[in-house]
Amino acid sequence: MNANSQQVLKGSLSVIILKLLEQRERMYGYEITQKVKELTAGEMAITEGALYPALHKLEAEGLLTTETEVVDGRARKYYSLTKTGQTEATGRTADLLAFMQHLQTILNPNAFKPAL
Amino acid sequence: MNANSQQVLKGSLSVIILKLLEQRERMYGYEITQKVKELTAGEMAITEGALYPALHKLEAEGLLTTETEVVDGRARKYYSLTKTGQTEATGRTADLLAFMQHLQTILNPNAFKPAL
DNA sequence: TTTAATACCTAAAATTTTTAGGTATATCGA
DNA sequence: TCGATATACCTAAAAATTTTAGGTATTAAA
């Protein structure tokens, strides 16, 4: 059960980034990797090889801005949501949650489904 | 909210296939596309361009076997779980559900978390 | 002083999906 | 009866994302 759940489901990484930033005003890359580990009690890890390209893409799309700061002799690149990023964070989170609900329905066909 | 939830989250397609077959002894490709639409009230669709390669891969991995039948003048290729396929279906479903739980935790940080 | 942790990065390869076709038969409506 | 839609299979190029496997540099701990 570890082999797979250890890894991020393809496509969800950008949503994870946006959602974490929605609650925190700013974070730097390494901090994101640690926060995900912390939130999932070490059961989920995001690799830096996936994270950094994802951050750069979100920045290029105008959803994130950056500011670099040197702390303890090491450079940190802080990312924050832009206005557009805030909107996208909301929308993409809703998309992903909707998708997950559908997936639940398929994976757990005996589940109780409350009426609308 | 439709653009994304319309599509299958990368990586979950093979689990969806295995899980559907776990409950149904056999299904053919087209039937799978229809069943997913039905289960999600038309909100989720899997494309044939993704489905058929996925089916062929699972068969090549020894998780599925096939039998072809002609019904109403059209050939249907029925897929069933092998013994290994049954084991994998259980394992991969557990993996995906575990992952989804972690994702919930990240996306919904204010949620109530019951103790173990 | 060497290892681990912090902190950033890239590039090739692998995987999976999207997009965009193709073939063929049956059914339904005009 | 003709054309569109539904059924039913398929492939291949391109795109997107992740994995794997590195690289650099500073600080803290063993």
Side-chain angles (χ1 to χ4, degrees):
Chain A
M1 74 175 88
N2 329 51
N4 265 24
S5 69
Q6 194 74 17
Q7 324 196 359
V8 170
L9 196 49
K10 331 212 172 196
S12 59
L13 180 54
S14 61
V15 184
I16 290 173
I17 294 170
L18 294 174
K19 194 65 187 179
L20 288 177
L21 286 172
E22 194 176 52
Q23 304 149 13
R24 248 163 286 256
E25 38 255 274
R26 70 176 198 170
M27 292 182 92
Y28 55 98
Y30 187 76
E31 186 184 8
I32 293 176
T33 67
Q34 301 308 303
K35 185 51 96 180
V36 167
K37 269 190 213 165
E38 180 199 318
L39 286 172
T40 62
E43 290 202 57
M44 206 168 96
I46 65 183
T47 62
E48 297 190 340
L51 176 66
Y52 289 113
L55 285 170
H56 300 160
K57 196 192 175 199
L58 290 171
E59 189 185 4
E61 288 170 348
L63 309 188
L64 303 181
T65 40
T66 62
E67 42 180 345
T68 299
E69 251 172 62
V70 176
V71 179
D72 281 331
R74 274 185 292 253
R76 287 181 186 171
K77 198 160 159 190
Y78 281 97
Y79 290 86
S80 312
L81 289 183
T82 61
K83 197 85 179 172
T84 312
Q86 288 172 36
T87 308
E88 279 294 305
T90 306
R92 293 196 195 185
T93 301
D95 284 348
L96 183 52
L97 286 173
F99 171 79
M100 284 167 72
Q101 293 241 321
H102 295 320
L103 208 47
Q104 290 273 12
T105 304
I106 294 168
L107 296 184
N108 194 5
N110 302 318
F112 171 67
K113 281 176 235 166
L116 303 182
Chain B
M1 77 178 82
N2 329 51
N4 264 25
S5 71
Q6 193 75 17
Q7 323 196 359
V8 170
L9 197 49
K10 331 211 172 196
S12 58
L13 179 53
S14 62
V15 185
I16 290 173
I17 293 169
L18 293 173
K19 194 66 186 179
L20 288 177
L21 286 172
E22 194 177 53
Q23 304 148 13
R24 248 162 286 257
E25 37 257 273
R26 69 175 200 172
M27 292 183 92
Y28 56 98
Y30 187 75
E31 188 184 6
I32 292 175
T33 67
Q34 301 308 303
K35 184 50 95 182
V36 168
K37 269 190 211 163
E38 181 199 318
L39 286 172
T40 62
E43 290 202 57
M44 206 170 96
I46 65 182
T47 62
E48 297 189 340
L51 176 65
Y52 289 113
L55 285 170
H56 299 160
K57 196 191 175 201
L58 290 170
E59 188 185 3
E61 288 171 347
L63 308 188
L64 303 182
T65 39
T66 62
E67 41 180 345
T68 299
E69 251 172 62
V70 177
V71 179
D72 281 332
R74 275 186 292 252
R76 286 181 185 171
K77 199 159 158 191
Y78 282 96
Y79 289 87
S80 313
L81 288 184
T82 62
K83 198 83 182 174
T84 313
Q86 289 172 34
T87 308
E88 280 294 304
T90 306
R92 294 196 194 185
T93 301
D95 284 347
L96 183 53
L97 287 173
F99 172 79
M100 285 167 71
Q101 294 241 321
H102 295 321
L103 208 46
Q104 291 273 13
T105 304
I106 294 168
L107 296 185
N108 194 5
N110 301 318
F112 171 68
K113 282 176 236 166
L116 304 182

